[in-house]
Amino acid sequence: MKSENEYDVAVIGGGHNGLTCACYLAKAGLKVVVLERRHIIGGAVCTEEDLIEGYKIDVGSSAHIMIHLTPVVQDLELEKFGLEYIDCDPFAFAPLADGSGAIHFWKDVDKTCESIAKISPEDADRYRDFIEEWQKLNEGVFEAFLKPPTLVNLMRYMILKRNKNPADMVRKLMTSYGSLIKETFKHEGVRAAMAWMAAQSGPPPTAMASGDFVGWHSMMHKSGIKRPKGGSGMLTQAMAKCFEHHGGDILLDAEVEKIEVEGKQTKGILLKDGRRIEAKRIVSNAHVYTTFLKLIGKENLPSKFAERIENIRIGNGFGMIVRCAVSELPDYTAAPNGGNPADCHHGLQLLCPTMQYLDDSYADYLRGIPSQKPGALAMTFSSIDPTLAPKDKHTLFIWGQYYPFDLSTGESWDDIENREADKLIEVVNNYAPNVKNSIIDRFIQSPLDLERRIGLLKGNVMHVEMEFDQMFYFRPLPEISHYKTPFKNLYLTGASTHPGGGVFAASGHNTAKVVLKDVKGWF
């Protein structure tokens, strides 16, 4: 009989990957506890109701894409625990900067091509061919995503199995997504929309071996983009209910002070309030830096391993977001709607006029200054989910890139966040001139807030940079890419691990399989 604080598995961090892993383990009959340092479960998939009175405001991810290509929602029967997804269709809207037209990206490829043809008939045909080619590849990629990464799996599933011309596909994978877009599409509006969507994963358009960041766009025609009714955090709330249904314990305000280690084993977990948690196995959903350098401590790590952890690239920030309560929706010049709900409001609104504009934004970031003319990604999910705002009011979230965490100007994010929020709002206002006057209130998440609030070091929402040498078998390091660590009863999950960031849950799913194989010899 286990004591109250003794568990088969303790999961550090109640983000969606930690909860996914915990749910699978509890469902398999293990005694599991989730330790969450905040007052609310969810990590970077969380919705709060006390930030702007009367509005439900996400504090992390808002668009749910990749999780719908995994078995997680079905396996955990999350609908039984209150999860209700709403389709965002069209999943993206890209107005031309001069207001002369716009592209609607529908889940249906034919409807999307019809929309593109109004702007560029040639690119409509090119788009159809592009989607067909990259879907074949990425169906294989997804098979690899749902397994611990190996070099053999990458070749088997991603390239050789799915392509008639593997040599050309390898070339496209190894090129930059900016170059791939330019060789594939001709109209600058189409190019800019595709590049801005691809840029959401982090690497700039010039990054080598990033071709599939734009190729991945093809999978949105399979998964679409969806939103949980009631806010992004309703996913993790449903996971929490599922976990507790299967006998799991959740401890809130339970910040971990230390993972105790002895030799090559963990001995237990010490919380900041003095409580001690006994667990035969520990899964850390915290950032890879936080796990090893803070909770375990550099002095307790194997020789050279600490240095390798320190060499993992977090980068210098990524983006910021302004969460607004508004009296009406954006009235886009390219798609007039009078500020009322319309197709253009359903998904991601891609506000980036040219690829050069995106390159210039990134150049500012490299100089250590916030983008002077940032690209903006506007989201108005209250147009399809009226539970998010009071009657006849709406939410408008505006994500922007690129924003360095450490500023070369010597300025503080606490001092400049309002200035930068104004600039982001101005970008949207240039496309929809009613926006500035519609704002009732706002909540700003600068890179510094992202670190303070939800543990995203340096404000990187992907934990560590999503470039090729830190992906798949290399994420976060080859020797720990299989979710196991040098401590035989310590495992990793989350965005620091394969397959990376976003509302995905694949890492949590994969880690659970590894733990169950060790515990019960399953799989």
Side-chain angles (χ1 to χ4, degrees), residues 83 99 104 128 140 142 170 212 217-218 243 287 296 346 363 370 391 402 409 446 468 495 523:
L83 180 63
H104 292 77
R128 189 185 306 277
F142 230 89
V170 170
D212 201 24
H217 183 97
S218 64
F243 176 59
H287 194 289
I296 293 177
H346 292 182
K391 183 175 171 56
Y402 294 90
T409 59
S446 71
F468 185 76
F523 308 106

Side-chain angles (χ1 to χ4, degrees), residues 43-107:
V45 184
C46 184
T47 302
E48 300 189 37
E49 298 187 40
D50 57 355
L51 299 172
I52 300 177
E53 186 176 355
Y55 296 78
K56 296 177 181 178
I57 303 295
D58 300 337
V59 297
S61 299
S62 289
H64 293 202
I65 304 172
M66 294 173 290
I67 192 171
H68 304 295
L69 297 167
T70 77
V72 170
V73 172
Q74 290 75 28
D75 283 355
L76 301 181
E77 301 178 292
L78 295 180
E79 294 90 347
K80 292 183 179 179
F81 301 99
L83 180 63
E84 180 183 341
Y85 268 113
I86 303 170
D87 281 313
C88 304
D89 200 22
F91 62 78
F93 164 76
L96 300 184
D98 63 5
S100 62
I103 302 168
H104 292 77
F105 292 93
W106 299 87
K107 190 175 180 182

